[in-house]
Amino acid sequence: MGTILTAAVLLGMVGFIIRKMIRDKKNGKSLQCGCDCKHCSGCGHK
């Protein structure tokens, strides 16, 4: 019973994290982008 409860809590937490990451990506926020294009190696505008 404890294993099932732990797994359910863990899956819920992972689901919330993924949902937040998707919402942040849609709102233009990202872990990869610091919004400082002049220092970005992936940006073609220098």
Side-chain angles (χ1 to χ4, degrees):
M1 180 72 176
T3 303
I4 295 171
L5 183 60
T6 303
V9 169
L10 184 60
L11 285 173
M13 289 172 46
V14 170
F16 283 125
I17 291 169
I18 291 172
R19 188 174 82 182
K20 179 166 179 12
M21 289 173 69
I22 291 171
R23 285 184 178 174
D24 285 349
K25 185 73 171 176
K26 286 181 180 179
N27 289 331
K29 299 176 188 174
S30 176
L31 292 175
Q32 291 86 19
C33 181
C35 297
D36 189 10
C37 290
K38 66 180 178 182
H39 293 106
C40 181
S41 63
C43 182
H45 303 132
K46 291 205 176 206

